[in-house]
Amino acid sequence: MKQFGRPVTMRPSAKGYYARVQGVNHLLDAFIKKTECNCQVINLGAGLDSTFWRLKDENLMPRKFFEVDFPTVVARKIHNIKTKPPLSKPIIETHSTDSLLLDGQSLDSDRYCIIGADLRDVANLDEKLKKFQLNPELPTLLLSECVLVYMTPLQSSNLVHWAAETFHTAMFINYEQVNMSDRFGQVMIENLQRRQCTLSGAEACQSLDSQRERFLRTGWEHANALDMMTVYSMLPQDDVARIERLEFLDERELLQQLLQHYSICWATKDKLNLGLSQLAF
């Protein structure tokens, strides 16, 4: 996973980036394989993420891949897609007609759709997704990476509850901060506040239990959470060794503290009895 025009380089945060990408991809790919690609994916707050293109390259395409972000972000991404053939060609290849539905705030094809919307307005989000053929009957994976933490607890709960109410067979993967009540977490919050960046949803990031509880109290059947240090220790050791050789970081204690303050939480509903609650690391 990488952002357009932004190659991955080995920086002091590379280990954390690697753990995040591999952790999210592990659960996402496992869900798609479990459904035999008969599913849909909704990337909430997708930014310039390129997961759709990775899945296309790896022959793991769901029935449809949706992305949602603010209209200004969507407009930038649509411009990138229109002007860069490596991005537009895979979309055209998976589309059955000669024309795509395209305007300044949305792009829709048979297999890929990007929508400009505010995730805090759940009713409008639901309306726009259904306009572009969202199918509530399909197994659905919802993905958010450092998105819910910028919403108030009420706003994020409304979004998570909408997902639980809309889809009877689904998984929600949420990557964001955790353990924010200790001193390290408080320093993270203070540093962001100095940059006029407020974590409005930090209340739900107090612990792994609070991360799980957000889903369990809004209609999800099962929820699990791990901090990223634990995820990092579970990744393929050959890959971890390669990262260790490429990145020289003497302050291992600092890395451990950082990874312990990010987590992956995943929740499931499984009316079709696909075994989604068994998906884990």
Side-chain angles (χ1 to χ4, degrees):
M1 187 189 301
K2 66 181 180 184
Q3 295 184 347
F4 304 140
R6 187 177 170 189
V8 177
T9 57
M10 301 312 300
R11 303 180 298 276
S13 60
K15 292 175 184 176
Y17 177 87
Y18 171 75
R20 173 178 68 83
V21 170
Q22 294 301 316
V24 169
N25 286 353
H26 172 81
L27 292 174
L28 169 61
D29 295 0
F31 179 90
I32 293 175
K33 291 173 183 176
K34 179 69 76 172
T35 64
E36 298 180 345
C37 296
N38 187 34
C39 63
Q40 58 197 358
V41 175
I42 308 173
N43 193 339
L44 301 167
L48 302 183
D49 180 79
S50 56
T51 297
F52 168 81
W53 289 267
R54 178 185 70 82
L55 295 176
K56 174 70 166 54
D57 288 343
E58 297 179 7
N59 198 30
L60 283 175
M61 279 291 296
R63 289 267 291 274
K64 193 156 185 175
F65 192 101
F66 295 87
E67 294 185 348
V68 184
D69 212 315
F70 288 119
T72 52
V73 177
V74 167
R76 179 184 172 193
K77 189 163 188 176
I78 289 174
H79 174 75
N80 284 338
I81 292 171
K82 288 169 61 178
T83 57
K84 294 178 171 59
L87 302 179
S88 58
K89 185 178 178 181
I91 295 173
I92 295 171
E93 288 175 347
T94 59
H95 192 59
S96 60
T97 65
D98 293 333
S99 60
L100 304 176
L101 177 59
L102 176 66
D103 59 38
Q105 295 185 9
S106 60
L107 183 161
D108 185 49
S109 69
D110 290 341
R111 306 295 290 273
Y112 176 79
C113 178
I114 179 171
I115 301 167
D118 188 333
L119 298 175
R120 296 168 295 187
D121 186 345
V122 173
N124 181 254
L125 171 66
D126 183 76
E127 178 184 346
K128 288 189 173 182
L129 284 169
K130 288 177 179 175
K131 174 185 174 182
F132 293 108
Q133 290 76 54
L134 178 77
N135 183 357
E137 298 304 311
L138 269 182
T140 301
L141 183 136
L142 301 103
L143 170 64
S144 64
E145 298 184 69
C146 291
V147 173
L148 302 186
V149 71
Y150 291 103
M151 305 164 69
T152 67
L154 177 60
Q155 290 165 344
S156 64
S157 290
N158 287 341
L159 179 63
V160 171
H161 181 256
W162 162 81
E165 288 288 298
T166 302
F167 308 105
H168 58 69
T169 301
M171 172 183 273
F172 199 123
I173 303 172
N174 181 46
Y175 168 87
E176 66 181 6
Q177 291 88 340
V178 75
N179 296 326
M180 300 304 284
S181 58
D182 66 15
R183 182 54 189 156
F184 191 94
Q186 288 302 305
V187 169
M188 289 175 64
I189 292 174
E190 292 164 7
N191 287 340
L192 288 168
Q193 287 176 336
R194 280 195 286 269
R195 302 174 192 174
Q196 284 71 55
C197 185
T198 301
L199 299 183
S200 301
E203 178 184 321
C205 303
Q206 297 306 303
S207 67
L208 294 176
D209 284 340
S210 66
Q211 287 284 6
R212 287 188 289 264
E213 183 60 28
R214 168 164 49 191
F215 290 92
L216 294 175
R217 68 169 178 258
T218 52
W220 293 85
E221 296 169 355
H222 302 278
N224 297 280
L226 294 172
D227 68 57
M228 295 311 298
M229 190 66 210
T230 302
V231 173
Y232 187 70
S233 70
M234 293 178 171
L235 296 176
Q237 289 306 298
D238 288 346
D239 290 342
V240 170
R242 177 176 59 84
I243 297 296
E244 299 278 355
R245 288 194 299 270
L246 289 171
E247 181 183 41
F248 299 99
L249 183 63
D250 295 329
E251 299 172 351
R252 184 166 183 83
E253 183 179 347
L254 179 60
L255 171 70
Q256 182 169 337
Q257 283 185 308
L258 181 64
L259 293 182
Q260 287 173 341
H261 286 81
Y262 283 88
S263 69
I264 287 182
C265 182
W266 66 102
T268 58
K269 290 183 63 180
D270 196 4
K271 184 178 179 181
L272 294 179
N273 295 317
L274 299 178
L276 298 183
S277 64
Q278 300 169 14
L279 299 181
F281 291 89

